[in-house]
Amino acid sequence: MNILGFRIDSNLREKLENNIDNEIKVVENVTDFIEALKERRYECVLVEEMQLPVETLINIIKKIEEFQKKAVIIVLGQSSNLKVVAGSIKAGAYDYILKPMENEEIVKIIEKSVKDHKLMAERVDKNKNTGERLIGQTKEIVEVYKKIGKVAISRVPVLIVGEKGTGKKSVATSIHQFSDSAKKPFISINCTSFQNSLLERRLFGYEKGAFEGAIFSQAGDLEKANGGTLHLGNIEFLNLDIQSKILYLLQEKEFFRMGGADPIKTDIRIIATTSANLEEAIANGTFIEELYHKLKVLEITIPPLRERKDDIPFIIDKYLSECNSELNKAVKGVSKPAIKKIMRYDWPGNVTELKNAIKSAVALCRGSSILVEDLPNNVLGNRPIKRKGDIQDWILADWIEGEISAFQATGKGAYYANVISKVEKELIRQVLEITSGKRVETAEILGITRNTLRTKMGNYELE
């Protein structure tokens, strides 16, 4: 581990150097320290507070952030002053170690901090089961990684908040995967995908005769996910009746099947995600305030892409290989003028919009690098183009533009049939996933007959 220390005492330095894998450099004055920050990259930077004025300490941390974006910054000090400790963390320090403490313990904390930082920054986004994977290395997204690690150890409900396209489901999935319940079920439900009556059946299950057509009893997802995690996406779309039942579940650790008289105990963690302002929903009478506070015990806010633009080149690099494979291309990167345009745009559709834009650009690209002229029109303006309608409509428009560009690049015709078939196949696939493959329920949600569903599943090889 490469370590840079500012005014670190000799005993701690000796303890760190006892590990043959550690290489440590210590400097004693600010000027030499700044020069050392510029010379090479470090995995960890240690700063001894030594009664430094708060402003000086904050400025030092900011300098570390400027030149060592991927380093773990740890402050060693003896202050219990809120301004010093909170100010250090806010400025970018990963941890503040309060002394006096045995040097052996300090070394353990340092080594664990670096290890945890790498786990969250490098492994979360590589997990193949996280849907729209988390990608990034900026301070903003690493802070999300840290929170994932912190909340994963408990069974308390979590509320994940963020704009559309930021990766809320990926965060929910990652919390489960880093938890002690990782081998237990993880069930994800998009609350916008069902009519409320069907959603209630899906969640709570039902007894025979609970409603017309209930010819047998059926366990719901709350039973199937016992011991694991239930993710409720777009929770603001739940009606008040289902909200009250979720609240009862969180309070009493039990629920009732539809038509059932006996409570069913369950050990399940609820992770809710939303892009809505739930406080406004409470004020409007469409969301239960007590449920909001129950869910908000642990809250993670995902920053929009415009607030972590340094992650954009990293996301592009990760996604290019997928686009190349899908479109049979060999694009290696993005030209400097094109990346400037990309970095200037504010990406209201967040990572989802960025990925659609890259796919479109790869389809149009004729060489090994994406050029300015390959980028979608909305990215090319000096200012973000204001569009009417919902962000999801923008993302859909960009996706269709990308598909058309791909057809043009490959010479394929029949745009209508190709685009519609892709949409229809993905729609059926997702609803089948939601219903756990139940064809009657899938056909009901889609509004088509079972025979039509069977035919389409055969055509799309979804059997």
Side-chain angles (χ1 to χ4, degrees):
M1 178 167 56
N2 298 323
I3 305 170
L4 175 63
F6 180 63
R7 298 182 178 177
I8 304 303
D9 70 72
S10 57
N11 290 331
L12 177 58
R13 176 176 182 172
E14 183 179 347
K15 287 291 183 185
L16 287 166
E17 287 178 332
N18 284 341
N19 186 332
I20 60 173
D21 293 328
N22 288 341
E23 179 183 346
I24 182 168
K25 177 176 182 177
V26 177
V27 293
E28 298 297 330
N29 64 72
V30 174
T31 302
D32 290 342
F33 182 69
I34 300 302
E35 288 302 313
L37 290 173
K38 299 176 182 178
E39 288 174 359
R40 60 176 297 183
R41 291 187 177 183
Y42 294 91
E43 294 173 85
C44 180
V45 180
L46 305 177
V47 178
E48 183 74 57
E49 181 198 339
M50 294 286 288
Q51 303 303 315
L52 286 170
V54 177
E55 293 76 14
T56 303
L57 177 62
I58 299 305
N59 287 334
I60 287 173
I61 294 172
K62 288 181 177 178
K63 280 294 182 183
I64 300 170
E65 284 276 282
E66 180 180 350
F67 295 108
Q68 300 285 332
K69 293 185 182 297
K70 297 181 181 180
V72 175
I73 306 169
I74 297 177
V75 179
L76 310 171
Q78 298 180 340
S79 174
S80 57
N81 183 289
L82 177 63
K83 188 174 182 181
V84 174
V85 178
S88 298
I89 299 297
K90 184 177 180 181
Y94 188 88
D95 203 355
Y96 185 102
I97 299 177
L98 189 62
K99 299 169 70 177
M101 182 184 291
E102 293 295 328
N103 284 329
E104 289 85 353
E105 288 301 311
I106 293 176
V107 171
K108 287 180 182 178
I109 292 173
I110 291 169
E111 290 176 346
K112 186 176 186 304
S113 295
V114 173
K115 181 180 178 181
D116 288 349
H117 180 80
K118 287 181 177 179
L119 276 174
M120 296 306 168
E122 297 175 9
R123 292 188 180 178
V124 172
D125 64 291
K126 291 179 181 177
N127 196 297
K128 298 302 182 182
N129 298 319
T130 56
E132 295 296 321
R133 288 170 290 162
L134 296 174
I135 299 174
Q137 293 185 337
T138 58
K139 178 181 68 177
E140 291 80 8
I141 199 65
V142 169
E143 186 62 31
V144 174
Y145 299 160
K146 286 169 59 179
K147 288 182 179 179
I148 289 171
K150 290 175 181 177
V151 305
I153 61 176
S154 74
R155 298 283 289 163
V156 178
V158 181
L159 179 64
I160 302 169
V161 179
E163 295 178 5
K164 293 176 181 178
T166 50
K168 296 183 290 296
K169 182 181 177 182
S170 295
V171 173
T173 309
S174 298
I175 291 170
H176 175 74
Q177 290 166 341
F178 278 90
S179 74
D180 292 337
S181 304
K183 294 183 179 179
K184 298 290 186 177
F186 175 85
I187 294 179
S188 179
I189 295 179
N190 184 345
C191 298
T192 63
S193 299
F194 296 90
Q195 298 172 353
N196 278 292
S197 58
L198 290 174
L199 181 57
E200 186 174 2
R201 297 181 208 172
R202 172 75 188 268
L203 282 172
F204 299 98
Y206 50 86
E207 297 292 348
K208 181 179 179 180
F211 53 86
E212 186 178 353
I215 58 176
F216 51 81
S217 297
Q218 176 70 52
D221 284 343
L222 290 175
E223 289 177 73
K224 295 174 184 176
N226 188 34
T229 304
L230 177 68
H231 165 234
L232 296 175
N234 299 303
I235 195 170
E236 70 275 12
F237 285 93
L238 291 180
N239 65 22
L240 293 174
D241 182 50
I242 297 179
Q243 287 180 38
S244 67
K245 291 179 179 180
I246 295 294
L247 177 59
Y248 178 82
L249 168 70
L250 294 175
Q251 290 172 331
E252 306 298 332
K253 307 299 182 186
E254 65 182 29
F255 65 95
F256 293 85
R257 284 185 179 180
M258 293 177 65
D262 299 321
I264 299 173
K265 294 288 183 181
T266 186
D267 173 25
I268 191 169
R269 184 181 202 174
I270 301 291
I271 300 179
T273 58
T274 184
S275 56
N277 185 327
L278 293 184
E279 292 182 348
E280 285 185 3
I282 292 168
N284 294 333
T286 59
F287 205 85
I288 298 173
E289 184 174 8
E290 192 174 355
L291 175 59
Y292 171 64
H293 291 301
K294 280 282 185 182
L295 295 170
K296 199 176 183 293
V297 173
L298 295 176
E299 183 176 5
I300 297 177
T301 300
I302 307 176
L305 190 57
R306 62 182 173 275
E307 292 180 7
R308 57 180 187 103
K309 284 190 172 182
D310 286 345
D311 279 332
I312 288 176
F314 188 64
I315 295 169
I316 292 173
D317 182 60
K318 291 285 185 181
Y319 190 53
L320 270 179
S321 60
E322 294 180 30
C323 293
N324 282 331
S325 177
E326 182 179 348
L327 300 175
N328 195 27
K329 291 272 192 168
V331 179
K332 296 180 180 179
V334 183
S335 68
K336 288 184 178 180
I339 200 69
K340 285 182 179 179
K341 290 288 186 181
I342 289 171
M343 297 297 285
R344 189 178 295 152
Y345 184 60
D346 268 351
W347 300 103
N350 293 293
V351 176
T352 302
E353 185 185 10
L354 173 61
K355 291 176 71 174
N356 286 327
I358 295 305
K359 181 176 180 180
S360 171
V362 169
L364 291 175
C365 181
R366 296 184 178 181
S368 61
S369 293
I370 292 172
L371 305 178
V372 170
E373 54 264 34
D374 299 324
L375 298 175
N377 291 331
N378 56 300
V379 181
L380 294 179
N382 290 328
R383 296 180 180 178
I385 294 175
K386 294 183 181 292
R387 307 196 218 178
K388 296 181 180 179
D390 188 82
I391 289 175
Q392 287 182 326
D393 294 334
W394 308 355
I395 294 170
L396 176 61
D398 288 342
W399 176 79
I400 292 175
E401 181 181 351
E403 291 299 311
I404 292 173
S405 298
F407 297 149
Q408 290 173 331
T410 58
K412 290 183 179 178
Y415 293 179
Y416 178 85
N418 278 299
V419 171
I420 294 300
S421 64
K422 281 192 173 185
V423 172
E424 188 173 55
K425 179 179 179 179
E426 183 61 19
L427 175 62
I428 294 172
R429 187 195 67 76
Q430 289 197 26
V431 176
L432 281 167
E433 184 177 310
I434 288 169
T435 63
S436 301
K438 295 184 179 66
R439 298 189 182 188
V440 174
E441 198 170 322
T442 299
E444 188 175 350
I445 292 171
L446 291 171
I448 59 179
T449 66
R450 276 176 281 176
N451 287 336
T452 300
L453 174 63
R454 189 182 304 113
T455 300
K456 291 182 181 297
M457 286 177 64
N459 292 339
Y460 295 132
E461 298 181 348
L462 293 172
E463 298 288 349

